[in-house]
Amino acid sequence: MNFRNYFLLILLCLPCFMQAKNITISRLTCEMQEGLVVVEGAPRLGWAMESPQNGTRQSAYEIDIREAFTGRQIWNSGKVYSSQSQLVSIKGADIRPDNPFNYSWRVRVWDETDAPSEWSREAKFRSASSRLSEGKWIGAITRQNAHLPEGRKFHGGELKKPEVKAAWEAVDTLAKKSICLRRTFQVGDTTEGNTNRQSSKKIVEATAYVCGLGFYEFSLNGKKVGNSEFAPLWSDYDKTVYYNTYDVTEQLRHGENAVGILLGNGFYNVQGGRYRKLQISFGPPTLLFELVINYEDGTSTTLRSDNDWKYDFSPVTFNCIYGGEDYDARREQKGWNQVGFDDSHWRPVVIQEAPKGILRPQMAPPVKIMERYDIQKVTKLNAEQVASASKSTKRTVDPSAFVLDMGQNLAGFPEITVRGKRGQKVTLLVAEALTDEGACNQRQTGRQHYYEYTLKGEGDETWHPRFSYYGFRYIQVEGAVLKGQKNPQKLPVLKNIQSCFVFNSAKKVSTFESSNRIFNAAHRLIEKAVRSNMQSVFTDCPHREKLGWLEQVHLNGPGLLYNYDLTAYAPQIMQNMADAQHANGAMPTTAPEYVVFEGPGMDAFAESPEWGGSLVIFPFMYYETYGDDSLIKRYYPNMRRYVDYLKTRAEMGILSFGLGDWYDYGDFRAGFSRNTPVPLVATAHYYMTVMYLIKAAKMVGNDFDIHYYTSLAHEILAAFNKCFLNKETAQYGTGSQCSNALPLFLQMTQDSDEQGSYQPDAKLDEKVLMNLIKDVEAHGNRLTTGDVGNRYLIQTLARNGQHELIYKMFNHEEAPGYGFQLKFGATTLTEQWDPRQGSSWNHFMMGQIDEWFFNSLVGIRPSTTYQKFIIAPQPVGDLKYVKASYETLYGTIVVDWTSQNGTFTLNISVPVNTTAVVYLLGEKEPKEIQSGTYQLVCAK
């Protein structure tokens, strides 16, 4: 698209006057988080601002911090002349780690005319408790008495060995049972001999710290606290154990109170039963609890988990993160978590061994039920289908079976409301695919996984699983009928059933829409797949594995950061990666590393540079998005250890192990890299990690490392070009798209001079690029890359102005492409470009196009100065419009452009206290625009 060199700038807001601009402080954050934030040390504060006028910016600020209840001033910054409004240090403030009170803070700012704003509202944070570890871990049985096998090798063929089977069968069955724990306590004054005396002493703050492993549900006086599922977020429990913090001031009452905790297994205790990907146990279900109550008179009381608690078995009779869950409502004990319940028949708890990991406050948002889906279609299986499905699914299908199409593939569980007789059972089998007979098919995703509910027979009963989930679209119901259906067998009646979409509640921070139907639908496919796999960690799939495969973190990193608020989620990912790193510096392919891949054919799955490299690459993506270098500085030693380890595996600068361009595309069933040499992909990522480490060394000020790793980078570059470059043809490796895209993306297209040092070679670069373009065109404007190569192909073409070619690559309904998946009927992104060949229909590893949607079609790009953004939209193909928004730490950027009738119109909104550098096609020089709303018009 060609533009003449002129444009019209139209301001849509009123002119600026030399007076206060009505700045409103709209969002207060502590460590980039809203709400009550638990911090370790002095936190960094931030705020966003709004103004009705263009050009508004901050010239100064003042922060005031107080003890929330007492009002005692902790720190006041005074008037600080600075435009900084994010990650503002309060170093020097008297933030005490064991202070029982919350801290409250507020801020006011001055604009560029030195006119002050009003004080903001107050926000709160509190210091992490160092006393939490003083509590006792309690449960039903100790690990020692449970006889749980040690190790992380129990998967695959290992599980079939007689001695392994015998070891797991010898485990005490008590070690995997779900239990309820309860404790009553007094709030207020008591006197000797009169423990029921109520006090008028006012509660000013009450904070509960809870860690129930594997998962827990916390209730106070009979009501669930919070709305999270699968809490706390899982981790390597030998290294890190997360706990949750709750403000329960409003839930307490004077006099007697009751706390109840329901415990399940989660990833802490995977003992199997039905389907399991692996088996691992860090111990039987266990609880650590602390409740701190502060009173108006300055006194406080603390309740901890100890010998005074009691337990009993819960109605959850089976629960496994892989196999599903059973619930017997007849075993419910009404009022078990309330005051007045008779627990004389309950058992005293056992003091257990504490997990080995360090207790850390969970910073990442919780997993919740975020969406619900209703029935779209009902299919009753006939007798012939039932008989056939019983064979194909390797389970006896009940004659009452019917299948519900819920319309959306997702991660989660069903929720039912049912009425029937005491002791009747309803079985729910879930799957993302159907057999030829129309029954739920778990063959490719792990079977058997199901949920079984036994009725108590007391009117309407509503239930959903608490400790297990699966990836599914279809629900096969056995032992019940839908409301309004014939019921000659007097089966339980399902009055309602929904699919609960469960994912991490990290905020969605973007919108995207274009005039292209395929692009819009592809964006939705990717979103549903990402959300399905955005659990405690970024998983590969929500059914058969649920493991945190690491390549997705950086290969999809930019797209993830455009779409979701990862300010707290990303640091937890980094902690998990650091915990997974081996003593010799090696990085496994998954984190947390619940299983170690060993044995013939498993080496590539154990370690792969494209996976482990996330440890080094992802912190820079985080920094480029949020301007926060803390992850780079904190994990610099880990990065260096990893690069040093790779150096020990390299031979003459070449790495030759790993998965390569996993799941690349061709006339074959995808899997191991077929189009591109594994050593080429591995060595390119080795070089990339070293180059990032050099940047990190500069940021931490380590001059020795700068020189050392710069020399190493030159060695790798020389070896790479010597080994993989054919100078006569200007082809790398096999000449595949991944082979040529990687060195172009990494600027490895260099040639040696007479002194043997490598310098950028523009001619070589151009020839390799042309080879890449020709290969795409030779394949009918289609890609041949896979999980790893996709990003480098798309971004290499984009950085070289080949947007029209990218448009052609994806604007169709053939494989490989998103259009084919849509045509197939997929509602989430599938593992393979051709879903018919894949074993999972809910992966997000091929979702790299989202990065191009935002950084090219929309044109929003972060700048090295994080209060400045680049807006450079690319109107390509027959696109008539693109409109999108992206919420930054400073506010929301809005881009809305149209291309019609020879005119390109760009409407943009720039947050207060930031500037945008706007590039338009055909214009040699960009325009720098202050905050506000603008319209720019270009003639073609």
Side-chain angles (χ1 to χ4, degrees), residues 2 11 66 90 101 109 119 130 198 209 277 438 475 546 578 581 586 610 652 658 739 747 813 842:
N2 295 318
L11 303 186
R66 297 177 182 271
I90 58 169
F101 294 106
V109 301
W119 281 100
S130 62
Q198 292 193 9
Y209 304 93
K277 165 70 177 178
I475 306 173
K546 299 185 175 79
Q581 189 172 25
E610 307 82 10
M652 304 295 290
S739 292
Q747 299 178 332
E813 294 184 336
N842 199 341

Side-chain angles (χ1 to χ4, degrees), residues 204-217:
V204 294
E205 287 177 353
T207 306
Y209 304 93
V210 188
C211 181
L213 302 176
F215 298 139
Y216 71 88
E217 187 172 283

Side-chain angles (χ1 to χ4, degrees), residues 568-585:
Y569 192 88
Q572 200 150 302
I573 292 172
M574 288 301 301
Q575 181 67 62
N576 288 334
M577 282 197 272
D579 288 346
Q581 189 172 25
H582 294 182
N584 63 355

